[in-house]
């Protein structure tokens, strides 16, 4: 049971951080509606640049004051654990304690552009949108590049922001 939108944000973040497939939450707020729940999802995912950026599919089922949120992840939990190991190993390989933050940023950038080709990957590897595509296939699209960079910066304690953009073809 949650009595504030901030508590719902926290419940959402904790659920996706722990790779839960769904949560059922009884809400005691007076102003419950789907738009506010969608905002809570955005805010909950946004508690981490990574959970915000990986592209979690969500289904909302609202019945009175109870909401069931179902989450679909781009790769399995086991693959996500492989991503974490890969990020830690890569950070250990490309960074050292004598480097400035700028040098670490540059090293991460150079590692990614040297070791990744821009391409779509098999769907089971995240389709090119997940760090797993880079880890397994050496390929990814801009989302995977940005997520790997963000995770490497996080590993080093350097603040970074994952920014979503769109483009239109003319």
């Amino acid at each position: 049971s949650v009595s504030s939108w901030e508590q719902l944000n926290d419940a959402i973040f904790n659920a996706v951080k722990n790779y839960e497939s769904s949560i059922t939450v009884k809400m005691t707020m007076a102003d419950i509606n789907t738009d506010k729940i969608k905002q809570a999802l955005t805010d909950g995912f946004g508690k981490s640049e990574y959970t915000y950026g990986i592209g979690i599919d969500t289904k909302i089922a609202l019945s009175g004051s109870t909401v069931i949120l179902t989450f679909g992840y781009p790769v399995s939990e086991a693959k996500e654990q492989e991503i974490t190991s890969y990020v830690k190993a890569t950070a250990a390989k490309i960074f050292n304690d004598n480097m400035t933050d700028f040098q670490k940023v540059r090293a991460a950038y150079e590692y990614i552009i040297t070791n990744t080709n821009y391409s779509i990957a098999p769907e089971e590897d995240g389709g090119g949108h997940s760090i797993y595509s880079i880890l397994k296939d050496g390929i990814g699209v801009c989302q995977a590049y940005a997520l790997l960079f963000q995770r490497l910066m996080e590993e080093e304690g350097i603040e970074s922001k994952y920014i979503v953009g769109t483009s239109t073809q003319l």
Side-chain angles (χ1 to χ4, degrees):
S1 178
V2 299
S3 58
S4 72
W5 292 106
E6 186 58 38
Q7 286 178 340
L8 182 59
N9 300 348
D10 289 342
I12 290 166
F13 175 69
N14 288 327
V16 297
K17 184 176 69 172
N18 293 313
Y19 240 76
E20 294 178 31
S21 58
S22 69
I23 57 171
T24 302
V25 181
K26 173 93 170 127
M27 299 179 289
T28 60
M29 295 82 85
D31 53 348
I32 299 168
N33 62 57
T34 304
D35 286 340
K36 290 203 174 200
I37 294 168
K38 287 178 183 176
Q39 185 60 52
L41 284 164
T42 299
D43 294 344
F45 294 164
K47 289 184 174 287
S48 159
E49 293 298 316
Y50 187 67
T51 56
Y52 174 73
I54 62 173
I56 299 168
D57 290 327
T58 309
K59 290 186 176 74
I60 300 170
L62 181 59
S63 176
S65 62
T66 300
V67 65
I68 300 170
L69 300 172
T70 306
F71 307 110
Y73 301 93
V75 295
S76 69
E77 185 173 10
K79 288 178 180 179
E80 195 62 51
Q81 290 169 346
E82 285 183 60
I83 289 169
T84 297
S85 296
Y86 169 73
V87 168
K88 289 181 180 308
T90 301
K93 182 168 68 173
I94 66 172
F95 302 136
N96 67 60
D97 293 340
N98 297 325
M99 297 171 92
T100 65
D101 285 354
F102 179 81
Q103 289 169 324
K104 290 177 181 181
V105 167
R106 181 75 182 182
Y109 162 79
E110 288 177 1
Y111 175 84
I112 293 167
I113 64 165
T114 303
N115 293 285
T116 309
N117 289 311
Y118 192 91
S119 182
I120 300 294
E123 202 55 46
E124 64 271 13
D125 296 343
H129 299 276
S130 170
I131 296 172
Y132 193 78
S133 302
I134 295 173
L135 176 163
K136 178 148 186 317
D137 306 305
I139 58 178
V141 297
C142 49
Q143 182 178 10
Y145 281 52
L147 289 169
L148 177 54
F149 181 83
Q150 192 282 319
R151 287 287 302 271
L152 287 167
M153 293 301 97
E154 183 179 90
E155 189 67 25
E156 287 301 296
I158 299 171
E159 188 176 337
S160 66
K161 183 88 174 138
Y162 179 83
I163 305 292
V164 177
T166 57
S167 69
T168 41
Q169 292 181 313
L170 301 174

